Amino acid sequence: MTNIVITGGAGDCAKDFTKNYSSQFTILTPARSELDITNKAMVSDYFNNTPCDVLINNAGCIHPERILTSDTEQWINDINVNLIGTYLTTKAVLLNNPNAIIINISSTAAYNAYPNWSSYCASKAAVVTTSKCFANDGFAVYCLCPGAIDTKFRDNLNLSNANVMPCSELSKHVLDILENKYAPGDVLFFRKGEFTLNP
C-alpha cells in the first residue's frame, strides 16, 4: 500500500484526507514532536526510518503584521516553516526515494500581495517557484494553491467567510494528482470556486 506522510498532521486538512482515504493508503500524520520540519537532523532521521511514497507538505505558519511593526523573528519563523521546512522534508524524502511524489501546499497568497501578510505571501510564492524548480530537476513535484480553507488555521485571521473552501476540496485534488491527472511542475490555483491549472 502507498505510504503517505502529511506534515502539519494535527491540522484539519490532514485529518480530512486521512478520514476519507485511509482505506486506500497508509497515511502518517506526525506531530511536531515527531517531525519538526525546521529541524534538519530530525527531518533526516524521520525519513531515514519512515518509508514515504508520497509527501504532502501541508504544515504552515503565518504572523500577520505591517512592516513597520513587524518582528524579524516572526518573519524568519514564517520563512523557516513555509519554505525551508518544505525544502528539508522534500530533500530528505527524495534522498531515500527518488521516485516519491511531492505535493506542496502553497496558497493563493503566493500570487496576491495581501496587506500585512508580507512574510506569508513571500514564503508561499517561494514554495510555488521552488516546486517548479524541483520538477525541472526531474522529480514528481506538484503544487496546490488553495484559498481560505475552512480550518482552525484561519480562525484568528479576521478573514471573510466568502469563498471559503472545505478541506474535502483540497483532498480531492490531492487524489487527482495521485491518479496522474496532472504533470510534475503543475500548479493548481483556487479561483472563483474551483482550481485552475498553472495561473
Side-chain angles (χ1 to χ4, degrees):
M1 188 175 284
T2 300
N3 296 300
I4 298 178
V5 175
I6 307 177
T7 67
D12 294 326
C13 287
K15 291 176 182 176
D16 179 85
F17 189 84
T18 301
K19 179 184 71 175
N20 288 309
Y21 302 114
S22 59
S23 62
Q24 297 174 240
F25 309 105
T26 299
I27 303 174
L28 299 177
T29 56
R32 186 175 180 180
S33 59
E34 301 172 80
L35 178 61
D36 179 350
I37 65 170
T38 66
N39 185 314
K40 181 180 178 181
M42 183 181 285
V43 169
S44 295
D45 183 67
Y46 182 87
F47 287 107
N48 284 340
N49 293 283
T50 305
C52 181
D53 303 304
V54 178
L55 169 67
I56 302 175
N57 276 311
N58 174 64
C61 183
I62 183 172
H63 292 93
E65 193 63 72
R66 297 184 69 219
I67 185 171
L68 296 182
T69 52
S70 61
D71 180 271
T72 303
E73 293 306 314
Q74 290 181 339
W75 238 86
I76 292 171
N77 190 56
D78 285 357
I79 297 294
N80 279 341
V81 172
N82 297 335
L83 177 61
I84 304 302
T86 295
Y87 157 73
L88 289 175
T89 55
T90 298
K91 181 179 179 180
V93 168
L94 292 176
L95 282 172
N96 286 282
N97 180 7
N99 296 315
I101 295 171
I102 312 294
I103 302 174
N104 293 326
I105 308 300
S106 180
S107 168
T108 55
Y111 293 90
N112 294 286
Y114 295 129
N116 304 328
W117 282 28
S118 56
S119 58
Y120 186 75
C121 292
S123 59
K124 288 300 188 178
V127 168
V128 171
T129 303
T130 300
S131 299
K132 294 178 180 179
C133 289
F134 291 163
N136 286 338
D137 285 341
F139 299 103
V141 182
Y142 305 78
C143 191
L144 282 164
C145 293
I149 308 175
D150 188 18
T151 68
K152 294 176 183 177
F153 183 82
R154 63 185 297 276
D155 284 352
N156 298 318
L157 298 178
N158 298 316
L159 299 176
S160 167
N161 289 323
N163 202 33
V164 175
M165 62 179 285
C167 292
S168 58
E169 183 72 14
L170 187 67
S171 295
K172 174 184 176 296
H173 282 81
V174 167
L175 188 64
D176 285 345
I177 290 172
L178 299 181
E179 292 179 344
N180 299 312
K181 294 183 180 180
Y182 299 101
D186 277 348
V187 177
L188 295 168
F189 181 86
F190 193 72
R191 179 188 288 117
K192 296 181 180 179
E194 63 181 2
F195 277 100
T196 58
L197 184 61
N198 297 326

